[in-house]
């Protein structure tokens, strides 16, 4: 089982490599829906997968904006989110193209628009909830999607030598307080912080762990694209850069914007890009409550590394709309500009 020292060693190793890292639980807690000036108190729990060094999973996604949906007259800009295969240490055809754009200052904004976005998935309890219309589900162990800004705060505390226990420890763990302010018209979470005082899980929280179990958070990760799906991702990227609308008939069986239905005859395994995979429960029974609590305490935790930014409204950037030009032409012009 991973210890605090194991986590620190792995985080330090990742930093030395340039910072690269290798409904039951259900309901996502939408901390981004807090009002400015509000705070929520969370208590993170271990990953149900004891082979995971961390208590989070890192996700890398690419957002592809489209000028509406083909065949729909009044459709607005839509976004398709696809997995970046660099999560599996495979070469990404999208980033292979986008990386070259950063060599030209005129293309940097375009490059950032299509760059992969990191987010981090945690699970745990919401101990203080300021969102009035958010109700605690039957299973109070919830999922948190944390952006890089908050994750930096979480990670930096773990590297503090004065921290003696994992924040997920059942008896001596720490709460984490997410505080929402604003900066430049956008949500800002830089005042978020760990609690100073340790606290034990309550009897109700221990009972919830015994009843529902800790989820293997790898089940919340996107499926690795097949070669066919990878080809579709590259086609969608080209079309997005070209300012074309999303073509449901062409790509709907692979990746779709939220709310768009799968075309008739598509594969049953296809999901909307916004859909979350069904969680796999770790088998804990009611009769093993004491065993679960002991495991949570002694468990100096198994955990893993991730919304590309927080799931707040991004700046509206219209994709380019060149007339009578194919995506290949746009990319050819970009490449030519780089060589000039």
């Amino acid at each position: 089982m991973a210890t605090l020292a194991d986590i620190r060693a792995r985080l330090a190793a990742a930093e030395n490599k340039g910072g690269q890292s290798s409904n039951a639980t259900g309901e996502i807690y939408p901390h981004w829906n807090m009002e400015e000036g509000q705070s929520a108190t969370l208590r993170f729990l271990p990953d149900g997968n004891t082979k995971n060094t961390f208590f989070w999973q890192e996700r890398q996604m690419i957002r592809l904006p489209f000028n509406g949906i083909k065949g729909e007259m009044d459709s607005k800009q839509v976004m398709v989110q696809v997995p970046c295969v660099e999560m599996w240490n495979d070469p990404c055809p999208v980033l292979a193209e986008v990386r070259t754009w950063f060599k030209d200052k005129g293309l940097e904004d375009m490059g950032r628009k299509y760059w992969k976005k990191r987010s981090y998935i945690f699970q745990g309890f919401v101990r203080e909830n300021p969102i009035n219309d958010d109700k605690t589900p039957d299973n109070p162990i919830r999922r948190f999607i944390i952006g890089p800004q908050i994750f930096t705060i979480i990670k930096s505390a773990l590297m503090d030598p004065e921290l003696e226990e994992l924040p997920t420890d059942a008896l001596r763990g720490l709460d984490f307080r997410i505080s929402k302010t604003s900066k430049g018209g956008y949500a800002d979470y830089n005042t978020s912080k760990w609690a100073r005082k340790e606290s034990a899980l309550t009897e109700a929280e221990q009972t919830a762990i015994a009843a529902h179990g800790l989820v293997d958070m790898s089940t919340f990760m996107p499926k690795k694209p097949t070669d066919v799906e990878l080809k579709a991702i590259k086609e969608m990227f080209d079309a997005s850069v070209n300012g074309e609308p999303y073509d449901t008939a062409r790509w709907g069986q692979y990746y779709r914007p939220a709310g768009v239905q799968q075309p008739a005859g598509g594969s049953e395994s296809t999901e909307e890009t916004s859909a979350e995979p069904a969680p796999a429960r770790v088998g804990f029974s009611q009769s093993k409550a004491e065993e679960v609590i002991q495991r949570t305490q002694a468990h100096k935790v198994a955990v893993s590394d991730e919304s590309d930014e927080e799931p707040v409204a991004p700046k509206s950037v219209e994709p380019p709309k060149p007339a009578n030009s194919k995506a290949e032409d746009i990319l050819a012009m970009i490449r030519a500009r780089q060589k000039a």
Side-chain angles (χ1 to χ4, degrees), residues 73-306:
M73 298 298 294
D74 299 326
S75 62
K76 300 177 181 179
Q77 186 183 75
V78 297
M79 188 75 68
V80 177
Q81 202 170 218
V82 298
C84 175
V85 293
E86 289 191 355
M87 279 191 288
W88 297 276
N89 298 316
D90 287 347
C92 174
V94 173
L95 296 193
E97 184 72 45
V98 173
R99 276 192 173 91
T100 65
W101 299 357
F102 288 95
K103 298 176 182 178
D104 185 326
K105 288 189 176 181
L107 297 173
E108 286 183 356
D109 287 344
M110 190 76 160
R112 280 189 284 271
K113 177 179 176 180
Y114 288 98
W115 192 250
K116 63 183 178 182
K117 314 298 182 183
R118 296 177 189 269
S119 56
Y120 303 84
I121 305 176
F122 293 74
Q123 66 181 334
F125 298 109
V126 180
R127 286 186 150 181
E128 292 183 23
N129 185 2
I131 305 175
N132 292 329
D133 59 355
D134 179 80
K135 305 302 180 185
T136 302
D138 291 339
N139 178 0
I141 303 174
R142 303 184 69 172
R143 200 174 350 156
F144 309 115
I145 300 180
I146 301 297
Q149 187 182 57
I150 298 175
F151 181 73
T152 298
I153 299 171
I154 292 173
K155 188 177 79 167
S156 62
L158 294 174
M159 302 301 287
D160 186 342
E162 293 186 4
L163 184 68
E164 297 180 351
E165 280 289 349
L166 280 166
T168 53
D169 187 82
L171 294 179
R172 299 179 59 193
L174 295 173
D175 291 345
F176 186 77
R177 193 166 188 82
I178 294 182
S179 298
K180 182 177 181 178
T181 59
S182 65
K183 186 176 182 180
Y186 293 90
D188 185 86
Y189 299 94
N190 273 319
T191 56
S192 302
K193 59 185 178 181
W194 289 101
R196 292 179 178 272
K197 296 180 65 175
E198 300 172 345
S199 63
L201 292 177
T202 66
E203 183 177 350
E205 289 168 340
Q206 293 175 352
T207 299
I209 295 173
H212 301 285
L214 299 175
V215 170
D216 178 347
M217 290 190 294
S218 67
T219 59
F220 294 136
M221 298 293 285
K223 180 178 73 70
K224 182 179 179 180
T226 63
D227 290 343
V228 173
E229 290 166 339
L230 205 56
K231 181 180 178 182
I233 289 173
K234 183 59 167 62
E235 290 176 357
M236 287 191 292
F237 166 67
D238 291 350
S240 174
V241 172
N242 194 35
E244 298 173 12
Y246 174 80
D247 191 335
T248 306
R250 188 176 177 187
W251 304 305
Q253 62 179 311
Y254 306 117
Y255 301 99
R256 305 187 299 278
V260 173
Q261 297 298 312
Q262 179 179 315
S267 168
E268 292 184 0
S269 62
T270 309
E271 296 181 1
E272 295 180 11
T273 60
S274 63
E276 297 290 336
R281 297 197 188 196
V282 177
F284 291 107
S285 65
Q286 289 277 7
S287 62
K288 293 189 176 181
E290 186 175 348
E291 176 186 338
V292 174
I293 295 166
Q294 288 175 351
R295 175 188 168 190
T296 308
Q297 295 170 359
H299 195 190
K300 309 270 175 172
V301 182
V303 208
S304 102
D305 303 78
E306 174 186 322

